[in-house]
Amino acid sequence: MHSEEAEAAGGVRTDRLGLLLDQFDQARETAQVRLTGLGDEEYLWEPVPGCWSVRRRGEAVTPRAFGPGEWVLDQGAPDIPAGEYAEVARQAAGGMSVEKIAEDWSVSVERVEEVLAHTGTPEPDAAPVTTIAWRLSHLHFHFAGQWEWTFGERRRESRTIVDFTPYAAVELERFWEVIDRWREGVGALTDRQLDTVGLSRYPNSNDADYPFVAVLASANIEFIHHMAEIALLRDLWRARFTASGQPIGGGRPPGTA
């Protein structure tokens, strides 16, 4: 924004990049305060049976858990969630073939056809509850991969970029480094780059089909909604004891005696 534009707006940026950066910065500041004091037991706490989390290799409870090291991130079979049915419809309306949409979502052509044939409001997904460890690691993986395929060399396999850990302090240190690197890259973008379709080539996503300003807005949403979930889990952790004094859920790190 030109200085006279900033003054006219009372010192508040109103350009596209400025608005998105300010939104991200405010969310980051809030998240860092909310994550203060996070310990390993809380980080790995499973409030209900069947949670997805960070687990030792060989102890994962999902079919596509991944990671380059001893600890992996739970991940289920590919599907199109109910919240993305409208996106699939937009892809089809925009000219994408059913085959290309199926490839984009890593599902069968039959599944895409089922989604496109659906009418009315879809039933909510029976999504698994995920631990703070899972949500932080998911964000870490997402932003590290998106940086690599936007500002980096665009060659590293996205599932091997992040070495997951069961230790909260280690994860947070690595996570904020990735977030700060992402913010630095985004902050240097020009208007031309914001409008560039395919500036991000992040695999297993449709980033390459959109102007980067839309990718950036989606990244902000991803950060904000997962951080809100983490904040709620922290609230539940503090209130986890029943009236009888028994804890709700477990707290023992996976893979320990």
Side-chain angles (χ1 to χ4, degrees):
M1 172 185 275
H2 298 299
S3 59
E4 59 269 20
E5 292 173 334
E7 290 174 4
V12 177
R13 292 182 62 175
T14 58
D15 61 297
R16 295 177 301 167
L17 182 58
L19 284 170
L20 290 170
L21 286 176
D22 286 350
Q23 180 188 58
F24 187 79
D25 290 345
Q26 291 171 25
R28 185 204 188 284
E29 181 179 351
T30 300
Q32 192 155 21
V33 171
R34 285 292 262 140
L35 283 164
T36 300
L38 180 67
D40 296 343
E41 188 176 7
E42 180 183 3
Y43 174 69
L44 291 164
W45 178 54
E46 299 187 20
V48 297
C51 283
W52 286 6
S53 191
V54 172
R55 304 183 189 279
R56 278 200 173 92
R57 187 174 300 279
E59 297 180 359
V61 298
T62 50
R64 295 197 303 152
F66 66 93
E70 178 186 2
W71 294 82
V72 296
L73 187 68
D74 277 324
Q75 184 177 39
D79 197 7
I80 302 173
E84 298 290 355
Y85 279 22
E87 174 61 22
V88 173
R90 283 192 289 269
Q91 288 178 316
M96 285 182 67
S97 68
V98 172
E99 291 76 15
K100 178 64 172 67
I101 296 172
E103 179 184 352
D104 190 38
W105 291 92
S106 300
V107 297
S108 67
V109 168
E110 291 75 19
R111 176 59 177 145
V112 174
E113 291 173 339
E114 178 185 357
V115 170
L116 291 174
H118 189 277
T119 59
T121 303
E123 291 293 323
D125 296 306
V129 175
T130 55
T131 63
I132 293 175
W134 191 95
R135 294 170 199 265
L136 266 178
S137 298
H138 170 78
L139 279 176
H140 188 169
F141 159 73
H142 173 79
F143 279 96
Q146 212 160 35
W147 185 92
E148 165 68 19
W149 288 86
T150 304
F151 306 109
E153 297 180 358
R154 297 183 177 182
R155 63 178 180 82
R156 295 178 64 189
E157 208 287 310
S158 58
R159 295 174 183 271
T160 66
I161 289 176
V162 174
D163 189 13
F164 302 114
T165 176
Y167 303 112
V170 174
E171 170 56 28
L172 285 171
E173 181 179 3
R174 295 173 179 174
F175 175 72
W176 291 124
E177 288 177 358
V178 165
I179 291 300
D180 290 344
R181 184 174 62 173
W182 168 258
R183 173 60 173 79
E184 182 180 1
V186 169
L189 290 172
T190 65
D191 279 338
R192 181 186 293 272
Q193 289 172 312
L194 287 176
D195 290 328
T196 299
V197 175
L199 182 67
S200 172
R201 311 294 298 184
Y202 189 34
N204 304 316
S205 77
N206 55 8
D207 284 4
D209 300 325
Y210 291 95
F212 189 74
V213 68
V215 174
L216 183 55
S218 294
N220 280 11
I221 292 172
E222 185 80 357
F223 183 87
I224 291 166
H225 93 78
H226 278 304
M227 282 301 178
E229 293 166 339
I230 289 169
L232 176 59
L233 281 172
R234 297 214 71 188
D235 291 340
L236 291 173
W237 167 260
R238 286 193 296 270
R240 70 193 181 282
F241 291 99
T242 65
S244 63
Q246 295 301 311
I248 300 171
R252 187 181 301 279
T256 61

